[in-house]
Amino acid sequence: MADSSPPRILMVDPSLAFRPEEAIKESGWQFRNYVEESDDPHLKQVKETYLKMHTFQTVEFVKKKHEHWRKFDKFEATILEALQKLNSLVDESDPDVSVPNIVHAFQTAERIRAAHPDKDWLQLTGLIHDLGKVMAFYGEPQFSTVGDTFVVGCEVGKSVVYRDTTFHDNPDTKNPKFNTKYGIYEPNCGLDKVYMSWGHDEYLYHVLKHNKSTLPEEGLYMIRYHSFYPWHTGGDYMHLCDNRDMEMLPWIREFNKFDLYTKKEKVPDIEELKPYYQSLIDKYCPGTLKW
């Protein structure tokens, strides 16, 4: 029988290289501060990804991505089918942590389930939060699929990684319309009113909204902003936030405690867990979704 699984794609998520949480150290990761110059091939690849991201992610670029991906005409799949597809993404963010994406999804969900047994929506959020990475199977480059996100259309936040060495060829940084503190935005307009750099967070958020998921607002915020490290960890872009964003910030920080790859944790029995999580999928985002 012919193998119908998608081709394997090498993907290095640069966000994983620079996560500062204490939980990373506890999980067995060797904490790495990013450096401008390194002979480490992994860190070189990480910087190259951010160089491309910070060169090409402009207001015009992001608007085109919204137009392209929010047609929801790329494929149809259930949540579990999409998770299975993600298994063909090879993530080499750390050579010692080569867990498949589906294992990471269930590990994250199970960590949340242990800490928040009464919040089934939060457990499901942990399971599906990276599903937007399926864009990689449909031609989306790595620099607009993974990595820390930032706001386009205004001054780059101070804590954006490689901020001072990777934006030199981004035309928006030379345009006075886009390079001031507020840029094209109003003070405290709310994150919903700004353009985020395009990535898997924003895509999955819109997929769930389009397919009328009933996940609560807190879960949708976690999905949409979990890679927005310059905000929830770096403290940047607060001048663009409204009261709702600030109310949601503690939820996003809580979620990110559980979103980590670990060397110490056993691989969950996915087949045994599937019926439970299928019941959550049926509750909050059932059936076949348009992607």
Side-chain angles (χ1 to χ4, degrees):
M1 182 181 294
D3 185 0
S4 60
S5 60
R8 291 173 73 78
I9 296 178
L10 174 66
M11 176 161 291
V12 178
D13 188 342
S15 284
L16 297 176
F18 307 139
R19 294 192 169 178
E21 297 94 327
E22 287 297 318
I24 295 294
K25 300 175 188 178
E26 294 170 4
S27 71
W29 277 70
Q30 181 181 356
F31 176 61
R32 288 182 271 184
N33 288 307
Y34 71 91
V35 291
E36 291 297 343
E37 301 298 334
S38 173
D39 293 328
D40 183 328
H42 167 63
L43 290 180
K44 283 185 175 180
Q45 189 167 1
V46 166
K47 184 170 183 180
E48 181 63 26
T49 298
Y50 277 116
L51 178 61
K52 291 177 180 177
M53 179 193 297
H54 296 164
T55 299
F56 298 114
Q57 291 256 17
T58 63
V59 172
E60 181 182 11
F61 177 92
V62 170
K63 287 182 176 180
K64 287 180 177 178
K65 292 301 177 184
H66 277 268
E67 182 180 352
H68 175 72
W69 284 104
R70 291 174 66 183
K71 294 175 181 175
F72 308 107
D73 60 356
K74 307 305 178 287
F75 67 102
E76 295 186 7
T78 66
I79 291 292
L80 282 182
E81 287 169 347
L83 271 174
Q84 203 64 46
K85 187 184 287 279
L86 267 193
N87 238 7
S88 295
L89 285 179
V90 182
D91 193 329
E92 293 187 346
S93 296
D94 186 316
D96 296 324
V97 190
S98 55
V99 296
N101 275 269
I102 197 169
V103 172
H104 169 62
F106 277 93
Q107 284 180 334
T108 303
E110 283 294 281
R111 284 189 211 103
I112 293 172
R113 186 180 178 187
H116 297 282
D118 58 326
K119 294 181 177 63
D120 60 357
W121 62 268
L122 184 53
Q123 299 160 27
L124 181 61
T125 299
L127 184 72
I128 69 175
H129 70 283
D130 277 341
L131 274 182
K133 292 179 182 179
V134 295
M135 290 190 295
F137 295 108
Y138 299 89
E140 194 61 33
Q142 181 165 317
F143 72 81
S144 47
T145 301
V146 295
D148 294 7
T149 55
F150 62 98
V151 179
V152 299
C154 67
E155 181 183 40
V156 178
K158 296 291 190 292
S159 68
V160 172
V161 295
Y162 295 125
R163 176 188 188 272
D164 296 330
T165 56
T166 54
F167 281 93
H168 49 276
D169 288 330
N170 185 310
D172 284 6
T173 63
K174 302 174 179 63
N175 186 334
K177 180 180 178 182
F178 299 131
N179 65 9
T180 62
K181 179 178 179 179
Y182 291 101
I184 59 176
Y185 309 115
E186 295 294 326
N188 304 115
C189 59
L191 295 180
D192 188 53
K193 300 291 196 300
V194 308
Y195 284 107
M196 300 297 304
S197 57
W198 186 257
H200 69 279
D201 304 40
E202 188 75 7
Y203 173 56
L204 180 60
Y205 167 79
H206 287 292
V207 167
L208 294 173
K209 293 286 284 185
H210 177 75
N211 287 280
K212 297 180 169 52
S213 168
T214 57
L215 272 177
E217 186 180 12
E218 291 85 351
L220 293 173
Y221 254 79
M222 292 170 186
I223 286 165
R224 194 176 194 183
Y225 300 115
H226 71 270
S227 299
F228 192 15
Y229 274 81
W231 175 53
H232 62 64
T233 299
D236 292 328
Y237 301 107
M238 294 297 178
H239 55 286
L240 299 177
C241 295
D242 61 15
N243 289 337
R244 193 61 176 151
D245 297 326
M246 299 311 295
E247 289 171 2
M248 290 292 161
L249 182 55
W251 281 106
I252 296 167
R253 287 175 171 164
E254 176 67 11
F255 173 78
N256 276 70
K257 295 177 185 176
F258 304 99
D259 178 23
L260 52 94
Y261 290 71
T262 175
K263 296 175 181 176
K264 293 182 177 179
E265 191 165 354
K266 66 178 182 179
V267 175
D269 187 332
I270 291 174
E271 291 305 314
E272 183 180 319
L273 293 172
K274 273 184 179 179
Y276 173 72
Y277 285 99
Q278 184 63 59
S279 71
L280 304 190
I281 293 167
D282 292 341
K283 181 176 179 180
Y284 292 108
C285 32
T288 301
L289 279 59
K290 293 182 183 295
W291 298 77

